Amino acid sequence: MRRGVFAGSAVAVLMLTAACGSGENSAGKGDSVQPVGDSKQAGSGYDGYGGGSGAVPAADTVKTGPAGELKVKASAELGSTVTDSAGFTLYRFDKDTPKPPKSNCEGDCATAWPAVSADDASAGEGIDKSLLGSVERADGTKQLTLAGWPVYRYAKDTKAGDTLGEGVGGTWHVLAPDGKPAKAGGGAGSGSGADPSAGGGAGAGAGAGSGAGQAGGQEQAKADPISVNRNTKLGPILSDAEGRTLYRFDKDSAWPMKTNCLDACLNTWKPAKAVDKELVKGIPAELVGTFKRPDGTEQLTIDCWPVYTFTGDKEAGDINGQGKQGVWFAVSDKGKKVTATG
């Protein structure tokens, strides 16, 4: 009987060990470097959350010419959105600036997010023509702007009406007619999707919406609790619901799960909050777990490693914590430590 109980216990321990930190060493047991994919692949820097191939469609499947007459399209999920004359969804990038207009999407980013040419662009019904403008890109071409924000299409939107770029990396958003991020219940030009970075914007849009529309704009769809940000330098890495990069600490351990970030460490590195793994998309659900910290709070774990955000990351997508002190590293979409240089 004792032999049977012992054997059963051993199997349980082995199964738990395999589930936690599989394929990697715990802290203090050697380097667990994981290779990162070629960051030069088209679109690898700013691509979607999905865990698939991430292939960007061939150039001839993406409309890259002038926008023509901009249109307003109603969306059940996003409210009023802006499309080009062919119905392709138009986007803005939070890392750009509207005053003065400036694009910060070049190189691989511009492959995944083609800039919309300002040539022949015009405002259709529901769009204030005074909000249209242009900005000169690094290559000398003129890019369309809406309320000062440079305008883009998304390479993975292969047919009219697609909105696959919404929320990518926590920094890409479908455009509303007033140049702000489109949000359900906002209405055309209602201004309900208030964007602090716009600083008031160039004009209030095509008319202020009703009070009901403004109230509805406050009910935003919840962001994915964990997302995949395809960083140009690090490859696909994990972010929290606010787009903040998630990091792991080499001095922690995955088996047994243990944190060594305590006291003063917590002033700089904030334990990521536990999430409902049933709501996680883009990464295997079995990688997601929780860990009870010494103070009794629940911390998110990825592949059984406690994960954190870095107070030095000021904007969504920042990777200022990468490689800090040689012990803090971003986490890949496979749950592994990323050791590439940021």
Side-chain angles (χ1 to χ4, degrees):
M1 176 62 76
R2 289 183 179 177
R3 183 176 300 173
V5 170
F6 177 79
S9 299
V11 169
V13 170
L14 286 172
M15 290 177 66
L16 188 54
T17 303
C20 283
S22 57
E24 291 194 68
N25 296 323
S26 296
K29 294 186 179 180
D31 194 4
S32 47
V33 176
Q34 298 297 322
V36 177
D38 182 2
S39 62
K40 297 299 183 182
Q41 292 176 347
S44 64
Y46 298 83
D47 218 348
Y49 294 125
S53 65
V56 173
D60 60 2
T61 68
V62 180
K63 185 174 175 62
T64 57
E69 185 179 74
L70 304 189
K71 299 177 181 179
V72 176
K73 179 181 178 181
S75 164
E77 294 79 21
L78 298 170
S80 294
T81 66
V82 181
T83 74
D84 64 14
S85 59
F88 280 82
T89 302
L90 301 181
Y91 298 86
R92 50 168 275 174
F93 183 31
D94 284 352
K95 293 190 176 182
D96 289 348
T97 58
K99 288 185 175 184
K102 184 179 185 301
S103 170
N104 286 304
C105 180
E106 302 286 350
D108 287 347
C109 174
T111 302
W113 301 90
V116 175
S117 171
D119 296 341
D120 300 324
S122 62
E125 184 177 355
I127 300 174
D128 186 344
K129 65 180 181 181
S130 70
L131 296 182
L132 298 189
S134 66
V135 62
E136 185 171 335
R137 293 182 59 78
D139 61 5
T141 59
K142 296 286 187 180
Q143 181 175 2
L144 176 67
T145 61
L146 180 61
W149 289 94
V151 179
Y152 306 83
R153 299 184 184 90
Y154 184 40
K156 286 191 175 181
D157 286 349
T158 57
K159 64 181 185 296
D162 281 352
T163 56
L164 301 178
E166 171 58 29
V168 167
T171 55
W172 289 93
H173 302 286
V174 173
L175 274 166
D178 56 4
K180 296 173 183 176
K183 296 179 181 179
S190 69
S192 62
D195 180 6
S197 66
S210 67
Q214 292 175 356
Q218 296 174 3
E219 298 178 3
Q220 302 177 30
K222 291 184 178 179
D224 289 341
I226 300 175
S227 59
V228 179
N229 172 25
R230 294 184 183 269
N231 185 275
T232 49
K233 296 180 179 179
L234 304 185
I237 58 175
L238 301 186
S239 304
D240 68 5
E242 297 178 30
R244 296 173 299 192
T245 300
L246 295 175
Y247 300 90
R248 47 179 270 189
F249 184 31
D250 273 359
K251 293 186 179 181
D252 288 350
S253 66
W255 182 251
M257 278 189 277
K258 182 180 179 182
T259 178
N260 279 301
C261 183
L262 303 165
D263 303 322
C265 174
L266 297 175
N267 295 329
T268 304
W269 301 91
K270 302 299 183 181
K273 294 181 180 179
V275 303
D276 184 351
K277 66 191 303 179
E278 299 301 321
L279 301 179
V280 173
K281 303 174 184 176
I283 64 171
E286 59 266 23
L287 291 178
V288 181
T290 59
F291 161 71
K292 182 169 286 190
R293 294 184 56 79
D295 62 4
T297 59
E298 296 287 336
Q299 181 174 358
L300 172 66
T301 63
I302 300 295
D303 199 22
C304 297
W305 285 86
V307 291
Y308 308 77
T309 57
F310 178 48
T311 56
D313 286 344
K314 302 304 182 184
E315 297 182 4
D318 280 354
I319 53 169
N320 298 321
Q322 177 64 8
K324 280 287 183 183
Q325 299 171 318
V327 291
W328 290 94
F329 298 95
V331 182
S332 77
D333 58 344
K334 306 300 182 185
K336 308 304 180 184
K337 178 173 73 174
V338 176
T339 58
T341 302

